[in-house]
Amino acid sequence: MIQEKDVIPHVGFKEERRFAGFWMRFWAYLLDLLVIGSIERILIYPLFRSLDLSLHESSMFAPISILTAVIFYAYFVLMTKFLGQTLGKMAFGLKVVDLNGKKLTWGTILFREWIGRFISTTVWISYVIVAFLPKKQGLHDLFTETSVIHER
């Protein structure tokens, strides 16, 4: 349920923005994981099989681990930079915005999606804080002065 306190006007925005809460972001992220998994299974796994490379090595530095990590981060960085949203966020009508109304820079995106996501997955409770902060920000959003909003 959307409450009035969740709608906060910002300098630089012409209208009020509704911040996306924990559950909306969670479902969008799960959909993104399905997209990434599909990309890997359609493109990467057949390539590894044709080159007779192992798909089941558990080492962090195994070729399959490195390539799946590159695809994971590239998906989030490139989609957020060029479209402001991933496919999961598009499906749920969400978008990443700079809280100061500026265009998202490469530095902001790289920190938010790469370093910030690493920190957030290491300290997983930092995702839960989205539910309790007024601008519905995760730790990676706090570092980069961004948030996720409902675009419709």
Side-chain angles (χ1 to χ4, degrees), residues 28-84:
Y29 182 68
L30 284 184
L31 184 55
D32 286 328
L33 291 181
L34 284 173
V35 169
I36 293 166
S38 298
I39 291 168
E40 291 170 356
R41 283 164 183 80
I42 291 170
L43 300 176
I44 305 309
Y45 288 18
L47 176 66
F48 270 59
R49 284 190 186 100
S50 69
L51 296 173
D52 201 29
L53 296 170
S54 175
L55 293 170
H56 304 291
E57 288 185 53
S58 60
S59 167
M60 186 167 87
F61 298 107
I64 190 70
S65 300
I66 293 169
L67 194 53
T68 56
V70 166
I71 289 170
F72 178 87
Y73 287 112
Y75 171 81
F76 283 102
V77 167
L78 296 175
M79 292 290 292
T80 304
K81 175 59 182 162
F82 293 113
L83 301 173

Side-chain angles (χ1 to χ4, degrees), residues 10-27:
H10 292 285
V11 176
F13 287 135
K14 293 181 172 82
E15 58 197 50
E16 293 181 342
R17 301 293 178 154
R18 287 186 310 132
F19 296 104
F22 174 80
W23 288 111
M24 288 297 287
R25 293 173 67 159
F26 174 76
W27 295 119

Side-chain angles (χ1 to χ4, degrees), residues 63-142:
I64 190 70
S65 300
I66 293 169
L67 194 53
T68 56
V70 166
I71 289 170
F72 178 87
Y73 287 112
Y75 171 81
F76 283 102
V77 167
L78 296 175
M79 292 290 292
T80 304
K81 175 59 182 162
F82 293 113
L83 301 173
Q85 56 196 160
T86 59
L87 293 174
K89 286 183 181 76
M90 285 179 197
F92 288 93
L94 307 177
K95 190 168 190 164
V96 178
V97 295
D98 182 283
L99 290 177
N100 299 314
K102 299 176 189 170
K103 186 177 177 185
L104 295 171
T105 66
W106 278 108
T108 299
I109 299 291
L110 288 171
F111 192 89
R112 182 183 190 277
E113 299 296 343
W114 194 14
I115 298 166
R117 196 169 298 276
F118 175 76
I119 292 168
S120 294
T121 55
T122 305
V123 184
W124 63 269
I125 195 77
S126 64
Y127 278 118
V128 178
I129 66 171
V130 169
F132 302 103
L133 294 177
K135 295 178 185 172
K136 308 297 185 199
Q137 294 170 287
L139 192 58
H140 56 295
D141 290 315
L142 289 170

